[in-house]
């Protein structure tokens, strides 16, 4: 990740021209905007026919134009006529521009104007990345404060409104008059989120449920789907609060419901929100638990009354089971609403004067609503349901999550490399998948495996030449191959690309010190 | 992002000149000849010590009173004591940041130096405020100004998310010839009007002059990571290394308080005290430390072969000074030789001495045998630690007085029939210890065995010593196995899996390896120490122990 801010500007556009053009910038640094929103600057750049070459001190990085949304590079590439017609026109003092032959001065004047406009747009977007200058705008049900560029602001605010409308319709909730619109704070990168929102450590997003209520999350260009997951998850906590503003749902169903809705997806064709998709990451965690012989019982899930992490994935699977099973869906929906509202439920006063329900009472009410004497039969049905859910059948993302989970569990010799390779073969562009697969091959050792390990990283760099983590991983492989000088150069390049990470892992320390 | 990072010195004449104004009302003067700066800080504020391991904060001041604010909506409140830090950032840092080098040192030591995390005040604040303060913050103001002829970058930072009461941080960076001198302070927003004047008055009073000492952090490139070569040392080498570590630490601590005549140094056989308390209290701490050391040597001297080295005890004037010191960088590390405590004035003397006791025990045991402390069953380790923490001295004699809460818990456990059986202590795994009552009761059982009723019965009086000796032998055996390349932990001897099924099976087995290994280890010790014991003997031991603690 580059030190430069992550920006995608609404109004920037590529100059589409038959001939090579360049935008001359006076006294400005070169910069490129990637299609995923990153902006890279502070490095001299050269425009080639189909790529931009970034000239770092430690090496050159070639970025195909197919990955670039826009660029502004100093120094005009001169027009080199090739055909007789081009030579003749050049002799008349004409150059191609926008499909016409024009005088050089006319072209340069137009390019300067474009460059200046572009720079101004980029400067404006950059200025708004400082929180004190953040964009502030409102939609029907939300107010937004954001350091993202306008295009992304429009996109995400529209999704929030659609999500809200769908949930409101589905659950019959409404916003209390005195609450006003919910404030949503959106950050252009994780670093800004950590600093400005105060969400640190492993927090990816949060919803503040006491006044002033607000939602905080960040945009991750490496995982736009992950960004949406977080947004929908946290927004769901707000929507759940609307069921009864005085009631705090037990942790297990609060998080489980948020995970269920976190995987929502907007289908532009049917113009409908699809809910209840598989949460691959959570399914991966579930499968890992089961393989380790750990199963959360239904009575513990509903009745323990604690804040266990397992509620995010075991809880998700139970809600998914309930909401996807026609025989149970309505009962579960009624249970969910009535847990907050029904007079049959005994509630206590908890923190911040919210009412809450104990684990025992929650279990009692659940069993009553489902007509159960014990949880054994339903629990078996639930476990059978989980067994039928397959990561390997869940598409690219499922296989990614399975492979990553297997790696983290230590299955680096067989299962993790199999699943990671399968994810890559299915079209994964997730750099972490490539890095972990490369590590699996590197750990095996031997010339063939090291060569294969390097090859995997070259494929990752073809997806994204600017991923410093991949470049650093390449250094470790080269080091293992005995190519120490190249390894040193790669590490230096990785550090230039990402100055915030010194990439000093143990093996590279030993290599760079000259000790074997 | 227009980070201000230009190299500038004092300017003689500028277009915009900020007139020098007087320091805060009723100010105190502070001058640091070594670093070459002076300022006035608000009257009644106190100069605080800075931890010797602190790299960036060179001066610390604190208000002599606390302020309290409450959020009317949530009822949450926050107590807050205004403070001011002086931080020095050499201008050279910008060049150093790029140099992350790796070097070989003498004796095969590899040292790698990572990059510095910041080169200017803004970067420093972005990182440090997240490290030391809760809450989300942003830069609400950022301006360049000229003050007293210096170019100064001025920041206001608003801390408003996830805090009970919002705060404002003020931070100015004065550009001198070779460094940014940065002044940082904060105020809760409800008290901003009251405090801001004094804070900015102190900021405005800053002046630099030629220093007599070295500029901190000018030569190094950031945090050092040292990787040792892991070769075992001879006794003489280990002793020398330990002595060098102590001498180095002593020099640094003495250097940090030099010039402040209120700090005194006192020596005893095995301890050196650097104290901001009175001489009488300092002597009482040293006397107690020596008594505890003598007790450890007598009761547990047979553990390990190492020679315990000298320990440094830093005694702060009071809890406020101690807390301020803790806030400026850690003084704990795995090879520490220093204990920090304070003169209690608020009735928490049990607490302060328990810190000293724990510190002496930890360092002593580590010096004797680092591996031993890792191998000890948790009930003994935890039990000994808890017991030693409550040590008090009467002259040269050590006594152990359990905490009042613990005594109540034990009485209740006795009344409810929840006292743990003697044999269970010797056989319970760490999981079982922490899930049940064992952890709370372990110190009592340890004390019973070492010093209590067990000592009055021929069959029981050597149990603890014999058990610890067997433990020492087990540690030696593990070291031999490691040296010979043999497996030490369960599962290590397994051959590499040949397919995915074997891999999964081994990973599953690994989940239980630790517990299985722990169980086998404990059972082996019991078999050796209690060979031939009958149920009746175990029952007698249990009853004897229960009689003492009920």
């Amino acid at each position: 990740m580059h030190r430069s801010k992550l920006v995608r500007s609404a109004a920037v556009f590529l100059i589409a021209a038959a001939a090579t053009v360049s935008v001359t910038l006076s006294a400005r640094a070169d910069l490129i905007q990637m299609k995923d929103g990153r902006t890279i600057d502070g490095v001299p750049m050269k425009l080639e026919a189909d790529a931009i070459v970034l000239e770092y001190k430690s090496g050159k990085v070639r970025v195909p134009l197919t990955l670039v949304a826009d660029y502004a590079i100093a120094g005009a590439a001169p027009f080199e006529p090739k055909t007789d017609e081009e030579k003749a026109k050049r002799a008349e003092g004409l150059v191609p521009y926008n499909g016409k032959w024009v005088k050089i001065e006319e072209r340069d004047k137009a390019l300067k104007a474009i460059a200046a406009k572009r720079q101004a747009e980029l400067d404006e977007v950059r200025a708004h990345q400082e929180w004190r200058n953040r964009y502030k705008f409102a939609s029907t049900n939300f107010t937004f404060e954001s350091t993202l560029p306008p295009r992304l602001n429009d996109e995400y605010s529209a999704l929030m409104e659609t999500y809200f409308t769908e949930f409101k319709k589905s659950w019959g909730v409404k916003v209390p008059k005195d609450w006003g619109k919910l404030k949503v704070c959106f950050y252009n990168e994780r670093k800004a989120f950590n600093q400005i929102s105060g969400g640190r450590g492993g927090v990816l997003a949060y919803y503040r449920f006491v006044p002033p209520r607000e939602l905080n999350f960040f945009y991750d260009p490496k995982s736009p789907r992950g960004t949406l997951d977080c947004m929908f998850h946290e927004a769901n906590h707000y929507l759940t609060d609307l069921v009864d503003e005085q009631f705090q749902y037990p942790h297990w169903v609060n998080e489980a419901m948020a995970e269920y809705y976190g995987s929502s997806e907007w289908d532009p064709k049917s113009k409908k929100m699809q809910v209840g998709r598989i949460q691959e990451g959570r399914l991966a965690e579930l499968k890992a638990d089961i393989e380790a012989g750990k199963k959360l019982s239904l009575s513990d899930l509903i009745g323990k009354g604690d804040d266990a992490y397992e509620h995010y994935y075991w809880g998700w699977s139970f809600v998914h089971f309930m909401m996807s099973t026609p025989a149970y869906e309505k009962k579960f929906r009624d249970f969910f609403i009535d847990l907050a509202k029904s007079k049959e439920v005994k509630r206590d006063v908890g923190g911040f004067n919210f009412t809450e329900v104990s684990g025992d009472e929650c279990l009692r009410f659940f069993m009553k609503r489902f007509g159960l004497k014990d949880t054994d039969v339903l629990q078996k049905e639930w476990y059978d349901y989980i067994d039928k859910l397959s990561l390997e059948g869940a598409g690219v993302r499922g296989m990614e999550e399975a492979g990553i989970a297997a790696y983290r569990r230590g299955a680096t010799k067989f299962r993790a490399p199999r699943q990671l390779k399968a994810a890559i073969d299915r079209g994964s562009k997730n750099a972490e998948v490539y890095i972990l697969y490369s590590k699996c091959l590197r750990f095996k050792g031997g010339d063939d495996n090291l060569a294969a390990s390097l090859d995997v990283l070259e494929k990752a760099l073809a997806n994204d030449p600017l991923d410093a983590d991949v470049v650093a991983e390449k250094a470790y492989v080269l080091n293992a191959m005995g190519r120490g000088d190249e390894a040193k150069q790669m590490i230096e390049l990785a550090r230039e690309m990402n100055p915030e990470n010194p990439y000093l892992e143990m093996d590279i320390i030993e290599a760079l010190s000259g000790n074997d | 992002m227009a980070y201000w990072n230009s190299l500038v010195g004092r300017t003689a004449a500028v277009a915009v000149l900020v007139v020098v104004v007087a320091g805060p009302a009723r100010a105190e003067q502070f001058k640091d000849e070594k670093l070459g700066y002076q300022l006035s800080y608000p009257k009644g504020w106190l100069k605080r010590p800075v931890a010797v391991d602190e790299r960036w904060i060179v001066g610390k001041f604190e208000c002599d009173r606390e302020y309290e604010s409450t959020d009317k909506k949530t009822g949450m409140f926050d107590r807050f004591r205004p403070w001011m830090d002086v931080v020095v950032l050499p201008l050279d840092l910008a060049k150093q940041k790029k140099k992350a080098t790796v070097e070989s040192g003498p004796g095969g030591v590899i040292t790698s130096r990572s990059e510095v995390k910041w080169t200017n005040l803004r970067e420093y604040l972005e990182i440090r405020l997240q490290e030391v303060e809760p809450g989300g913050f942003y830069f609400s103001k950022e301006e360049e100004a000229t003050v007293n002829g210096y170019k100064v970058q001025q920041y206001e930072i608003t801390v408003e998310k996830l805090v009970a009461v919002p705060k404002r941080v003020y931070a100015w960076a004065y550009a001198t010839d070779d460094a940014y001198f940065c002044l940082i302070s904060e105020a809760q927003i409800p008290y901003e009007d009251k405090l801001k004047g004094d804070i900015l008055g102190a900021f405005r009073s800053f002046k630099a002059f030629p220093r007599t000492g070295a500029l901190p952090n000018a030569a190094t490139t950031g945090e050092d990571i040292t990787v040792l070569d892991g070769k075992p040392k001879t006794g003489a080498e280990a002793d020398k290394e330990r002595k060098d570590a102590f001498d180095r630490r002593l020099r640094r601590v003495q250097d940090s308080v030099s010039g402040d005549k209120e700090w005194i140094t006192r020596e005893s056989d095995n301890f050196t005290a650097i104290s901001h308390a009175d001489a009488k209290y300092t002597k009482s701490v040293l006397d107690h430390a020596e008594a505890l050391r003598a007790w450890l040597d007598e009761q547990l001297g047979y553990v390990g072969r190492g020679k315990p080295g000298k320990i440094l005890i830093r005694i702060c004037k009071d809890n406020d000074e101690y807390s301020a010191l803790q806030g400026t960088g850690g003084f704990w590390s795995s090879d520490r030789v220093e204990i920090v405590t304070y003169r209690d004035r608020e009735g928490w003397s049990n607490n302060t001495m328990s810190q000293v006791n724990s510190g002496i025990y930890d360092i002593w045991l580590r010096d004797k045998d680092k591996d031993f402390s890792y191998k000890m069953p948790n009930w003994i380790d935890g039990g000994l630690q808890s017991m030693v923490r409550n040590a008090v001295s009467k002259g040269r004699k050590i006594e152990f007085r359990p905490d009042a809460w613990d005594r109540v818990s034990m009485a209740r456990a006795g009344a409810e029939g929840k006292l743990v059986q003697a044999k269970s202590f010797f056989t319970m795994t760490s999981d079982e210890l922490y899930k049940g009552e064992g952890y709370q009761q372990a110190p009592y059982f340890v004390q019973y065995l070492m010093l209590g009723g067990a000592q009055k019965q021929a069959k029981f009086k050597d149990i603890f010593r014999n058990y610890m000796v067997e433990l020492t032998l087990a540690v030696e055996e593990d070291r031999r196995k490691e040296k010979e390349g043999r497996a030490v932990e369960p599962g290590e001897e397994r051959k590499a899996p040949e397919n995915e099924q074997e891999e999964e099976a081994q990973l599953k087995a690994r989940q239980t390896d630790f517990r299985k290994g722990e169980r086998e280890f404990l059972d082996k010790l019991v078999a050796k120490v209690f060979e031939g014991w009958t149920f009746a003997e175990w029952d007698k031991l249990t009853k004897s122990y229960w009689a003492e603690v009920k």
Side-chain angles (χ1 to χ4, degrees), chain B residues 70-127:
Chain B
T70 307
D71 182 326
K72 284 178 189 153
K73 285 182 197 159
T74 61
M76 288 168 68
F77 73 93
D78 191 24
R79 293 178 80 184
F80 158 76
R81 185 188 294 275
W83 52 269
M84 182 170 71
D85 284 350
V86 181
V87 169
V88 174
L89 304 175
L91 297 178
D92 244 0
L93 282 177
K95 283 188 215 158
Q96 289 181 27
K97 190 168 183 181
K98 298 296 174 214
K99 274 194 267 175
T101 57
V102 179
E103 298 158 7
S104 271
V109 171
I110 305 164
T111 305
S112 101
R113 289 176 175 173
S114 67
E115 300 174 345
V116 291
K117 294 194 267 190
W118 43 69
T119 62
N120 57 49
L121 179 56
R122 171 144 181 164
E123 289 173 0
Y124 175 87
L125 291 165
E126 281 174 348
I127 295 169

Side-chain angles (χ1 to χ4, degrees), chain A residues 52-73:
Chain A
I52 294 171
V53 178
L54 279 63
E55 294 176 339
Y56 290 95
K57 285 180 192 149
S58 310
K60 294 182 183 176
V61 176
R62 209 165 171 282
V63 181
L65 285 175
T66 49
L67 299 177
V68 176
D70 201 358
Y71 57 87
I73 296 175

Side-chain angles (χ1 to χ4, degrees), chain B residues 2-202:
Chain B
Y3 293 152
W4 181 62
N5 219 350
S6 54
L7 286 175
V8 288
R10 295 182 61 153
T11 55
V14 291
V16 176
L17 184 67
V18 174
V19 176
V20 174
V21 290
R26 302 174 292 124
E28 309 269 7
Q29 297 295 321
F30 173 77
K31 199 170 184 175
D32 188 325
E33 301 278 0
K34 273 193 199 164
L35 290 171
Y37 79 93
Q38 69 184 55
L39 51 78
S40 305
Y41 58 94
K43 191 172 173 66
W45 284 41
L46 300 162
K47 174 80 178 63
R48 293 299 196 193
V50 173
V52 293
D53 297 308
E54 172 57 50
R55 294 182 79 128
W56 305 100
I57 301 172
V58 298
K60 187 160 189 73
F61 305 85
E62 257 190 355
C63 184
D64 58 346
R65 60 156 287 195
E66 284 186 329
Y67 294 79
E68 188 176 301
S69 299
T70 307
D71 182 326
K72 284 178 189 153
K73 285 182 197 159
T74 61
M76 288 168 68
F77 73 93
D78 191 24
R79 293 178 80 184
F80 158 76
R81 185 188 294 275
W83 52 269
M84 182 170 71
D85 284 350
V86 181
V87 169
V88 174
L89 304 175
L91 297 178
D92 244 0
L93 282 177
K95 283 188 215 158
Q96 289 181 27
K97 190 168 183 181
K98 298 296 174 214
K99 274 194 267 175
T101 57
V102 179
E103 298 158 7
S104 271
V109 171
I110 305 164
T111 305
S112 101
R113 289 176 175 173
S114 67
E115 300 174 345
V116 291
K117 294 194 267 190
W118 43 69
T119 62
N120 57 49
L121 179 56
R122 171 144 181 164
E123 289 173 0
Y124 175 87
L125 291 165
E126 281 174 348
I127 295 169
R128 278 298 278 241
L129 288 178
Q130 290 191 60
E131 287 175 353
V132 303
E133 301 243 350
F137 62 91
Y138 69 98
F139 288 77
S140 35
K141 258 194 212 165
E142 199 168 336
E143 286 167 351
E144 281 180 32
T146 303
V147 180
N148 299 337
Y150 297 97
K151 281 229 169 158
V152 182
Q153 187 68 15
Q154 299 173 336
Y155 300 100
E156 266 186 25
I157 296 121
T158 302
V159 187
E160 62 182 14
K161 289 195 198 274
L162 299 185
V163 283
V165 181
K167 288 189 283 196
R168 200 92 66 201
V169 176
Y170 308 96
W172 286 16
Y174 279 82
T176 64
D177 293 336
D178 58 358
Y180 298 114
F181 277 79
C182 308
L183 307 172
I184 307 167
S185 183
E186 72 175 23
Q188 284 184 336
I189 287 178
Y191 291 101
E192 193 173 17
D193 290 343
K194 208 179 166 74
L195 293 167
K196 187 174 176 177
D198 277 353
I199 289 170
L200 296 187

Side-chain angles (χ1 to χ4, degrees), chain B residues 502-516:
Chain B
E502 282 184 20
E503 182 180 56
E504 285 302 307
Q506 283 190 15
L507 286 173
K508 247 188 207 155
R510 229 182 264 171
Q511 304 271 340
T512 51
D513 275 347
F514 172 74
R515 282 185 206 95
K516 194 173 150 209

